[in-house]
Amino acid sequence: MTTKMKKQRSFNCKDEELPTIGGYVNFSANRDQADFLAYSPVFNPEYFTLFGNRVAAVTELVIPQGEIKAMKAITARLYTNMDGLTAPMDHLVGYVNLAKEKIHISATDFGLTALRRKATAKDAEGVMQYLRLVIANIAKFRDALVEVGFTDELEGKFTAALAEINADNQTQYEMTRNRQAIVSANIDVLNDMFTQMMKICDIGKRLYKESAPRKTLEYTFADLKRKVRNEHKGKGKDDGKDKE
């Protein structure tokens, strides 16, 4: 019985970064197509058409538009549910304070301070962790809380939020894992695009090293990767560990 070897990625960037980097190179190469063709007949219009098609194929494979819309909708729902915890938390803090003489526990120890912090940070995993703690404490101190006005309706807001956030978080996880599996099964598509892109980048740097040095940045993989990561973060710099 033979074991099928896992195909390796020939590129050292994240899968989702590759189509954006490819798009940048595709734009530059098409703009400079005359210079490439003057350098070698290899770089004819068909060559760049093939590269453009490969970039499009990688884009749809890695970040399909249908899934992007679905993920955005799920994220919006997650944020709405986390924002919706603000009023219930405020009310529960009041009941915890009113019942403090009997339950001998602060709102912080109840889990509400951490829950508020995680909700503000839009940390779904953290929100679920502290929602479970809050719900457990509600059950533990129910009698004392009910005496000062706590209701089943308010409790239901916490349990409903946990169920909905958990479901959406799980769906996002499954979608991400499924997409990773699909990409891994079609890694040749990414590798082929990367290989052609690096050939274009190599010649691009040679073409403009003397005549337009700044232009070589448009054909330098490390710089393009840094550009993508900085745009994603909105600020900051690449750690410099990755090499071309």
Side-chain angles (χ1 to χ4, degrees), residues 113-166:
T113 301
L115 176 58
R116 190 185 301 276
R117 185 173 65 250
K118 295 297 184 180
T120 299
K122 300 297 184 286
D123 178 354
E125 295 286 348
V127 166
M128 288 190 293
Q129 176 186 348
Y130 286 103
L131 266 174
R132 292 187 180 100
L133 175 59
V134 167
I135 291 168
N137 280 325
I138 287 173
K140 183 177 180 180
F141 301 111
R142 176 185 299 280
D143 291 344
L145 292 170
V146 169
E147 281 184 20
V148 296
F150 181 78
T151 64
D152 290 342
E153 180 183 359
L154 182 55
E155 180 181 11
K157 291 180 180 179
F158 290 99
T159 55
L162 177 59
E164 291 169 13
I165 291 171
N166 182 64

Side-chain angles (χ1 to χ4, degrees), residues 44-244:
N44 55 37
E46 290 76 17
Y47 185 90
F48 290 110
T49 296
L50 173 62
F51 182 63
N53 290 340
R54 281 175 166 166
V55 171
V58 168
T59 300
E60 183 57 27
L61 181 62
V62 176
I63 45 176
Q65 292 303 305
E67 286 187 16
I68 289 176
K69 290 179 180 178
M71 290 287 272
K72 284 182 177 178
I74 294 171
T75 298
R77 195 162 57 240
L78 279 168
Y79 287 1
T80 296
N81 278 320
M82 286 187 269
D83 288 339
L85 286 167
T86 300
M89 285 189 291
D90 287 341
H91 291 172
L92 182 53
V93 168
Y95 291 127
V96 169
N97 290 338
L98 286 172
K100 188 172 292 186
E101 291 184 2
K102 286 193 174 182
I103 66 177
H104 305 293
I105 186 173
S106 67
T108 296
D109 293 335
F110 207 93
L112 288 162
T113 301
L115 176 58
R116 190 185 301 276
R117 185 173 65 250
K118 295 297 184 180
T120 299
K122 300 297 184 286
D123 178 354
E125 295 286 348
V127 166
M128 288 190 293
Q129 176 186 348
Y130 286 103
L131 266 174
R132 292 187 180 100
L133 175 59
V134 167
I135 291 168
N137 280 325
I138 287 173
K140 183 177 180 180
F141 301 111
R142 176 185 299 280
D143 291 344
L145 292 170
V146 169
E147 281 184 20
V148 296
F150 181 78
T151 64
D152 290 342
E153 180 183 359
L154 182 55
E155 180 181 11
K157 291 180 180 179
F158 290 99
T159 55
L162 177 59
E164 291 169 13
I165 291 171
N166 182 64
D168 280 335
N169 192 63
Q170 181 65 27
T171 298
Q172 280 194 331
Y173 172 78
E174 291 173 1
M175 289 176 67
T176 299
R177 294 296 295 174
N178 288 340
R179 178 52 45 187
Q180 290 171 346
I182 291 171
V183 170
S184 293
N186 293 274
I187 199 63
D188 284 346
V189 177
L190 281 72
N191 285 340
D192 289 346
M193 192 215 87
F194 177 76
T195 297
Q196 186 177 8
M197 181 175 73
M198 295 311 291
K199 290 179 181 178
I200 294 170
C201 286
D202 176 63
I203 299 304
K205 285 182 289 187
R206 295 178 190 281
L207 282 171
Y208 302 113
K209 183 177 181 180
E210 298 298 330
S211 62
R214 290 190 61 81
K215 212 172 184 179
T216 62
L217 298 178
E218 299 179 34
Y219 295 102
T220 303
F221 182 70
D223 284 290
L224 292 170
K225 179 167 60 176
R226 188 176 298 114
K227 174 181 171 67
V228 170
R229 291 180 178 177
N230 287 345
E231 287 176 349
H232 178 70
K233 292 186 294 185
K235 59 180 179 179
K237 297 181 180 180
D238 186 76
D239 60 15
K241 293 179 181 178
D242 294 324
K243 306 295 181 184
E244 282 184 73

Side-chain angles (χ1 to χ4, degrees), residues 3-50:
T3 302
K4 188 176 181 180
M5 292 185 65
K6 183 179 179 181
K7 295 179 181 177
Q8 298 298 311
R9 286 161 170 73
S10 59
F11 49 92
N12 62 341
C13 66
K14 297 176 182 177
D15 292 346
E16 61 269 23
E17 294 171 340
L18 191 61
T20 304
I21 295 171
Y24 290 151
V25 174
N26 189 46
F27 170 81
S28 298
N30 276 283
R31 178 198 61 204
D32 300 330
Q33 197 170 142
D35 292 338
F36 276 85
L37 186 57
Y39 180 84
S40 170
V42 168
F43 299 102
N44 55 37
E46 290 76 17
Y47 185 90
F48 290 110
T49 296
L50 173 62

